[in-house]
Amino acid sequence: PTRPTPRPLQCEGFDVVSELPTRSVPNWLALLTGASPAIHGIVGNVAVPPFPYDSVFKQAAAHGVHAGIAASPWMVNPVKRWLPLLDGDGRVSSSADGAYETTANGTTVKLDDARHAAALRGAHLARYGSDGGLSDDATGKYSLFVMHLTNVDSIGHRKGATVDTLPYVEAARHAKDQVETLMRDLPDNTVLFVLSDHGHEPGGGSGGASDDARKTRMWVFQKALVDEGEDGDGQGRSPPPRSPPRSPPARSPPLSL
């Protein structure tokens, strides 16, 4: 039989536009449900109970897809009813649910580190199962997982967001390292979306309507597979020849979230 082996991650980027108002909770719900704030009715950073709208987690539950989330309580609570019992709710918080995380904490780097560890654990279970791959325990485990990092947002609101703002640059670099570590541990044939709920004004603050606050990028990574050969000799097949360099394609039109 053929034995596919990992190939470097494939990547593509898209322009995205945050919904107004450019606050976190309204855009979290837009990302989870596909409904804009004008439809779901949440226009500020407020605690939202279990949500009546359809969501990616509700669809996962309806189709038997095992899912999990490691996120701020205010992101988890609206979809918590659709998470698998006991092992789907990976929220980590240092405050009560009544306090908005990035305003209750000057930095949330420790919370991000805990969520990152939960996501790595989810990736490990998805790949190997709880017994390290000795059985089919991994089949279907965490086929959908959301990791939520908030420290870049917390620092950006307080300190501003420019290449000269050292705390912001350090927070962004730490988040980048966490994403790259997760990428390496993902099961084969996984698709990873990396995106933000909104951008930041250079001087900080929140809720702006400028391009800095509204326009961000979404990166889509796929951990592809390459066939080793039908004879199973383990020698592998040479990858197809690379196409000659081409001019970069035109930027994709913005996607409204």
Side-chain angles (χ1 to χ4, degrees):
T2 61
R3 289 179 53 201
T5 54
R7 189 172 60 189
L9 284 151
Q10 311 298 302
C11 173
E12 189 170 0
F14 300 89
D15 293 326
V16 296
V17 179
S18 298
E19 291 284 356
L20 291 173
T22 56
R23 295 183 179 273
S24 292
V25 175
N27 278 281
W28 294 350
L29 295 176
L31 290 169
L32 292 172
T33 68
S36 70
I39 295 174
H40 63 57
I42 305 301
V43 295
N45 288 332
V46 295
V48 179
F51 216 51
Y53 289 96
D54 198 1
S55 72
V56 62
F57 285 103
K58 182 177 179 180
Q59 286 297 311
H63 291 84
V65 175
H66 189 266
I69 182 170
S72 164
W74 284 19
M75 179 181 279
V76 175
N77 288 342
V79 296
K80 187 174 181 179
R81 63 182 295 191
W82 305 113
L83 296 172
L85 186 64
L86 299 181
D87 61 354
D89 179 5
R91 64 180 179 174
V92 179
S93 179
S94 63
S95 62
D97 285 3
Y100 182 55
E101 184 175 291
T102 57
T103 56
N105 300 275
T107 174
T108 56
V109 64
K110 291 183 178 180
L111 303 179
D112 282 357
D113 288 346
R115 294 180 189 123
H116 179 238
L120 291 177
R121 176 62 175 165
H124 181 87
L125 290 173
R127 171 176 276 186
Y128 301 110
S130 59
D131 58 4
L134 299 178
S135 69
D136 292 332
D137 178 51
T139 304
K141 198 75 170 177
Y142 291 121
S143 297
L144 170 67
F145 198 95
V146 171
M147 178 179 72
H148 181 211
L149 305 177
T150 64
N151 194 47
V152 175
D153 182 63
S154 181
I155 299 299
H157 286 311
R158 287 173 170 78
K159 305 290 187 180
T162 71
V163 294
D164 298 319
T165 308
L166 184 58
Y168 186 80
V169 172
E170 290 177 343
R173 184 177 292 118
H174 187 61
K176 175 189 75 71
D177 292 343
Q178 290 175 317
V179 171
E180 288 181 346
T181 303
L182 180 61
M183 287 164 56
R184 289 192 293 270
D185 283 6
L186 291 173
D188 300 333
N189 263 1
T190 297
V191 177
L192 171 67
F193 295 83
V194 180
L195 67 162
S196 175
D197 51 4
H198 58 72
H200 285 283
E201 301 288 358
S206 61
S210 70
D211 285 352
D212 289 322
R214 293 201 70 193
K215 293 185 178 181
T216 62
R217 293 281 281 175
M218 176 175 69
W219 299 98
V220 182
F221 301 88
Q222 181 176 16
K223 197 168 187 179
L225 298 177
V226 60
D227 192 353
E228 281 192 351
E230 293 183 359
D231 53 3
D233 58 8
Q235 299 302 309
R237 294 179 179 174
S238 299
R242 292 179 177 268
S243 303
R246 297 181 298 175
S247 300
R251 292 173 69 90
S252 304
L255 302 176
S256 179
L257 296 180

